[in-house]
C-alpha cells in the first residue's frame, strides 16, 4: 500500500496498514478493557527537601531522602589545615590517615572493615583546608551500627603508638609520591595557595611538611581534637534514610558521649580570617624524566596564575562559577579534557591557536572568607615567557563584555554539571554536609539553577574588574630559565592588553 502521508492520507494509511487481524485504534487513546494505571507519586517539595535538626549539645543532623537500599552517612567537622596556626602543620593530614583505626569499641581497622562488610559497607575519611569528613556507605538496615561506628571513630580513637608510627610512614610515602607523580596538579594547588595566602589560614600546607612528621604525637593530636572536635562544629549528614531515624541514632550515640580527650574547649578555636597577600612560589625541578616509557611525556614547565575571587557565602560566588565554566573550568581528567570543551575561551583562544601548549585549565577554589580563580598551563620550557603572556592576556580579556551565546552556553554547562553530579548519592551527601556546616541550611539544586540563570554579562564584567584589582598569585614548577619576573607579571595584569613589558638584551 503506497498512500502518501498527507493530511488527508493518514486515516487511509492506518486502514490499509493495520491489516484485517488488528483493530484500527488511535495510539493516543486508552486501550479498551485495560485497567487505568496507578502511578507512585511523591510530593516534589518533599522529595528534594533537606531536613535539619539541632541537638541539645549543638550538633546538627541533616538528611536528604533518596530511595534505594543503600545510604551514605557521615560526620563533617569544621576543622582542616587552615586551623593549624597554633600547632605544627600537618595534624589534619595525620588525622585523615589515622581515621577508622582502633577505637574504644573496635580493636583494629580490620574489625571495623569486617563490621561494615556485614552491611555491604565501605568507609573513607577526607580532609580539605577547612573541613574533615568521615563517611560510610552501607545498607539502610545497618544505620544503627553505622552511626555507632562513626561516633566511635570520631570521638573515641585510641591513637596507639604503632598506629601513629604507621601513619608517619604513610605520610612520608605520600609526600614522596607527590613530588614524583607525572600529574603536577596537587603540588601546584599547594604552591598557589602558599603564594596567595602567605603563612596564614588556607595558605598553610594541606600536606604535612617533612619537618613536622616526627613532631606530631598523641598529645599534640589530643590538643587539636580538644579544640576543634566539639559538637557545635559538627554535622551528622545522611542521604537515603528517614530523618527521624537518623536523629534517633544521633541522640543515642552522639548526644551524651564524652570524647577520649576529655571535655572539648571551643574557646581555643582559631578564628583568623584569610588574608590574601599575593606573591610567587617557584620550584626549579628537572621534569625531563617525569614519565619514562614507550610514550614519555615531554619535559614541560607548569605555570599557575591566580587572582582573589570571593567566598562561597557571597552573592558573587555564582557569577564567578559561571566565569570559571566560560573559561574552561574543571579538573584535568573530568569530562571535556584540558580546556573543557570546544567552545570555552581557553580552548578557542589558547589551545586551538597555540599548538605548542599542552594544557590550559581554569580552577575556582572558594572558602567561607575568600576565594581564588586561577589558570594552569603547561608548555616547553623555552616558551614559558610566551605562555605567561597568553595567560595574562586571557585574564585582561575576562573584563570584556561576554557574548550572549557564550554566556548562555556556560550557564547551561554549569547547570547540567551541577545536576549530573547530584545524581550520585555520595555527592549529595557531601553537598548537604558542607552547606549545613557552613551556613546552617542548604540551597536546593533548583534554587542554584535559578541563581545561575539570572547571571548577566554585566555581572561577569563587574566581578572580573574587581578581581583584576588584586595582586597576582603565581606558582611555577619545572625549568624556569625563561620565566618572567613577578613584577613583570603584575605589570601585565595591570595593563590594558595584558602584554608583558618588553625586555632588551645585549646578548642572547
Amino acid at each position: 500500500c503506497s498512500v502518501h502521508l498527507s493530511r488527508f492520507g493518514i486515516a487511509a494509511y492506518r486502514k490499509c496498514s493495520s491489516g484485517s487481524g488488528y483493530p484500527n485504534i488511535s495510539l493516543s487513546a486508552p486501550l479498551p478493557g485495560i485497567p487505568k494505571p496507578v502511578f507512585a507519586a511523591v510530593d516534589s517539595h518533599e522529595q528534594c527537601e533537606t531536613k535539619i535538626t539541632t541537638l541539645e549539645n549543638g550538633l546538627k543532623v541533616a538528611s536528604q531522602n533518596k530511595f534505594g537500599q543503600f545510604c551514605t552517612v557521615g560526620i563533617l567537622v569544621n576543622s582542616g589545615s587552615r586551623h593549624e596556626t597554633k600547632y605544627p602543620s600537618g595534624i589534619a593530614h595525620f588525622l585523615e590517615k589515622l581515621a577508622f583505626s582502633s577505637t574504644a569499641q573496635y580493636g583494629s581497622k580490620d574489625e571495623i572493615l569486617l563490621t561494615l562488610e556485614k552491611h555491604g559497607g565501605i568507609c573513607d575519611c577526607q580532609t580539605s583546608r577547612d573541613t574533615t569528613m568521615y563517611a560510610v556507605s552501607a545498607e539502610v538496615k545497618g544505620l544503627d551500627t553505622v552511626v555507632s561506628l562513626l561516633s566511635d571513630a570520631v570521638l573515641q580513637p585510641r591513637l596507639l603508638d604503632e598506629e601513629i608510627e604507621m601513619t608517619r610512614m604513610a605520610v612520608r610515602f605520600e609526600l614522596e609520591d607527590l613530588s614524583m607523580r607525572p600529574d603536577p596538579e596537587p603540588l601546584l594547588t599547594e604552591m598557589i595557595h602558599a603564594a596567595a595566602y602567605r603563612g596564614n589560614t588556607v595558605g598553610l600546607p594541606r600536606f604535612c611538611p617533612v619537618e613536622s612528621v616526627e613532631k606530631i604525637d598523641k598529645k599534640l593530636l589530643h590538643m587539636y581534637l580538644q579544640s576543634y572536635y566539639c559538637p557545635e562544629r559538627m554535622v551528622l549528614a545522611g542521604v537515603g534514610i528517614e530523618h527521624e531515624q537518623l536523629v534517633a541514632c544521633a541522640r543515642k550515640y552522639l548526644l551524651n558521649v564524652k570524647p577520649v580527650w576529655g571535655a572539648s574547649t571551643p574557646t581555643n578555636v582559631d578564628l583568623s580570617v584569610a588574608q590574601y597577600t599575593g606573591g610567587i612560589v617557584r620550584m626549579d625541578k628537572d621534569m625531563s624524566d617525569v614519565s619514562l616509557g614507550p610514550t614519555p611525556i615531554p619535559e614541560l614547565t607548569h605555570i599557575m596564575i591566580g587572582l582573589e575571587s570571593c567566598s562561597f557565602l557571597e552573592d558573587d560566588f555564582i557569577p564567578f562559577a559561571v566565569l570559571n565554566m566560560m573559561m574552561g573550568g574543571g579538573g584535568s581528567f573530568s569530562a571535556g579534557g584540558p580546556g573543557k570543551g570546544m567552545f570555552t575561551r581557553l580552548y578557542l583562544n589558547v589551545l586551538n591557536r597555540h599548538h605548542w601548549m599542552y594544557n590550559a585549565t581554569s580552577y575556582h577554589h572558594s572558602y567561607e572568607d575568600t576565594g581564588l580563580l586561577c589558570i594552569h598551563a603547561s608548555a616547553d620550557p623555552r616558551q614559558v615567557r610566551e605562555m605567561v603572556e597568553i595567560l595574562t592576556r586571557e585574564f585582561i580579556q575576562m573584563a570584556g563584555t561576554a557574548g550572549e551565546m557564550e554566556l548562555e552556553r556556560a550557564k547551561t554547562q554549569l547547570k547540567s554539571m551541577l545536576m549530573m553530579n547530584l545524581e550520585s548519592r555520595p555527592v549529595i551527601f557531601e553537598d548537604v554536609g558542607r552547606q549545613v556546616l557552613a551556613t546552617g541550611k542548604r540551597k536546593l539544586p533548583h534554587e542554584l539553577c535559578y541563581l545561575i540563570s539570572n547571571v548577566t554579562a554585566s555581572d561577569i564584567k563587574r566581578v572580573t574588574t574587581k578581581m583584576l584589582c588584586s595582586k597576582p598569585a603565581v606558582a611555577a614548577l619545572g625549568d624556569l630559565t625563561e620565566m618572567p619576573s613577578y613584577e613583570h607579571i603584575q605589570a601585565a595584569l595591570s595593563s590594558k592588553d595584558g602584554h608583558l613589558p618588553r625586555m632588551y638584551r645585549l646578548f642572547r
Side-chain angles (χ1 to χ4, degrees):
C1 179
S2 57
V3 181
H4 290 291
L5 290 181
S6 65
R7 192 167 50 163
F8 304 103
I10 293 172
Y13 177 77
R14 276 200 184 132
K15 190 174 179 182
C16 62
S17 65
S18 61
S20 58
Y22 298 96
N24 188 12
I25 297 170
S26 168
L27 293 177
S28 60
L31 294 170
I34 303 293
K36 191 177 178 182
V38 179
F39 297 103
V42 62
D43 176 49
S44 59
H45 180 67
E46 184 187 326
Q47 186 180 16
C48 62
E49 185 188 11
T50 302
K51 295 179 179 175
I52 303 165
T53 301
T54 304
L55 301 187
E56 290 83 346
N57 62 355
L59 181 124
K60 291 183 180 70
V61 182
S63 74
Q64 174 85 47
N65 208 348
K66 186 176 171 66
F67 302 105
Q69 67 183 89
F70 277 80
C71 64
T72 300
V73 184
I75 293 175
L76 290 92
V77 189
N78 187 5
S79 80
S81 58
R82 69 169 296 165
H83 299 108
E84 295 173 1
T85 46
K86 296 175 183 174
Y87 312 97
S89 291
I91 295 176
H93 189 196
F94 254 70
L95 289 171
E96 178 186 84
K97 298 288 172 227
L98 280 163
F100 296 105
S101 295
S102 66
T103 66
Q105 192 179 335
Y106 299 93
S108 67
K109 189 162 194 163
D110 288 344
E111 270 189 50
I112 289 175
L113 296 176
L114 284 167
T115 304
L116 285 174
E117 203 176 288
K118 292 172 188 172
H119 301 286
I122 54 169
C123 63
D124 187 30
C125 177
Q126 292 179 7
T127 58
S128 62
R129 295 179 189 281
D130 52 4
T131 312
T132 301
M133 181 173 67
Y134 297 78
V136 172
S137 284
E139 287 177 321
V140 177
K141 60 186 180 185
L143 181 65
D144 195 80
T145 306
V146 166
V147 178
S148 167
L149 192 151
L150 279 166
S151 170
D152 225 40
V154 175
L155 301 174
Q156 307 287 332
R158 284 186 183 173
L159 306 179
L160 302 173
D161 291 342
E162 55 264 34
E163 289 171 346
I164 292 172
E165 197 51 52
M166 285 293 287
T167 301
R168 287 196 180 111
M169 288 170 64
V171 167
R172 283 195 197 98
F173 174 80
E174 193 166 341
L175 292 174
E176 200 174 319
D177 177 61
L178 193 67
S179 61
M180 290 171 65
R181 64 199 302 175
D183 173 29
E185 206 178 287
L187 190 57
L188 277 166
T189 303
E190 278 291 288
M191 291 165 69
I192 196 81
H193 278 83
Y197 306 93
R198 195 169 290 276
N200 75 90
T201 57
V202 292
L204 295 170
R206 151 82 178 80
F207 297 97
C208 180
V210 178
E211 61 271 16
S212 295
V213 174
E214 288 299 326
K215 290 180 186 174
I216 296 172
D217 56 15
K218 187 173 181 176
K219 184 183 175 184
L220 201 58
L221 291 168
H222 273 185
M223 278 173 62
Y224 180 87
L225 291 165
Q226 194 171 35
S227 296
Y228 294 101
Y229 278 45
C230 46
E232 300 91 336
R233 300 175 65 84
M234 290 184 187
V235 169
L236 174 68
V239 175
I241 68 275
E242 293 290 335
H243 185 69
E244 289 71 24
Q245 197 182 352
L246 187 62
V247 171
C249 289
R251 289 187 181 281
K252 186 176 175 183
Y253 297 111
L254 290 161
L255 189 54
N256 296 309
V257 180
K258 189 179 178 184
V260 71
W261 50 83
S264 292
T265 52
T267 48
N268 292 339
V269 169
D270 181 76
L271 300 172
S272 302
V273 176
Q275 301 297 314
Y276 182 86
T277 59
I280 185 167
V281 172
R282 299 165 56 106
M283 188 183 288
D284 285 278
K285 188 179 176 188
D286 180 11
M287 307 285 278
S288 57
D289 59 349
V290 74
S291 172
L292 302 172
T295 53
I297 296 174
E299 183 181 357
L300 299 174
T301 295
H302 301 271
I303 305 293
M304 197 179 267
I305 300 176
L307 294 169
E308 188 179 21
S309 59
C310 72
S311 114
F312 56 65
L313 300 175
E314 293 177 50
D315 293 338
D316 284 347
F317 173 68
I318 300 293
F320 268 116
V322 175
L323 173 64
N324 182 46
M325 192 56 65
M326 195 190 300
M327 294 306 297
S332 288
F333 298 102
S334 61
K340 297 291 149 301
M342 295 178 70
F343 294 100
T344 62
R345 288 190 183 181
L346 290 178
Y347 182 83
L348 289 173
N349 303 346
V350 179
L351 296 174
N352 197 36
R353 294 184 184 182
H354 307 285
H355 63 89
W356 45 269
M357 283 184 69
Y358 281 78
N359 168 47
T361 314
S362 170
Y363 298 94
H364 187 216
H365 305 282
S366 198
Y367 306 96
E368 64 182 355
D369 51 3
T370 187
L372 189 66
L373 184 88
C374 41
I375 298 176
H376 166 212
S378 47
D380 187 280
R382 291 166 294 183
Q383 291 169 300
V384 169
R385 185 178 175 82
E386 193 178 346
M387 174 173 68
V388 169
E389 188 169 74
I390 288 166
L391 296 190
T392 54
R393 284 209 310 264
E394 283 304 310
F395 271 111
I396 295 298
Q397 285 169 17
M398 284 183 199
T401 304
E404 189 181 339
M405 188 181 288
E406 177 188 39
L407 182 61
E408 285 306 313
R409 183 183 284 116
K411 292 197 289 189
T412 304
Q413 203 174 348
L414 181 60
K415 284 188 280 188
S416 66
M417 191 180 78
L418 172 74
M419 301 309 287
M420 282 191 290
N421 283 341
L422 290 172
E423 289 287 307
S424 164
R425 191 182 62 250
V427 174
I428 300 172
F429 155 76
E430 190 170 343
D431 182 50
V432 169
R434 283 182 180 276
Q435 285 204 50
V436 173
L437 191 66
T439 65
K441 56 182 189 283
R442 183 188 180 219
K443 275 184 181 166
L444 297 173
H446 67 266
E447 295 176 71
L448 292 169
C449 286
Y450 175 76
L451 292 171
I452 293 166
S453 298
N454 287 344
V455 173
T456 63
S458 61
D459 290 329
I460 300 292
K461 190 169 184 175
R462 176 175 49 79
V463 299
T464 305
T465 305
K466 182 184 170 186
M467 178 179 71
L468 284 166
C469 294
S470 63
K471 286 176 66 178
V474 183
L477 176 70
D479 180 349
L480 307 178
T481 312
E482 295 294 316
M483 176 76 183
S485 69
Y486 178 76
E487 289 72 25
H488 279 193
I489 296 170
Q490 196 171 358
L493 288 167
S494 304
S495 66
K496 288 183 180 179
D497 54 10
H499 286 298
L500 290 165
R502 291 288 154 248
M503 288 180 67
Y504 301 98
R505 297 180 184 176
L506 289 173
F507 304 101
R508 282 203 169 271

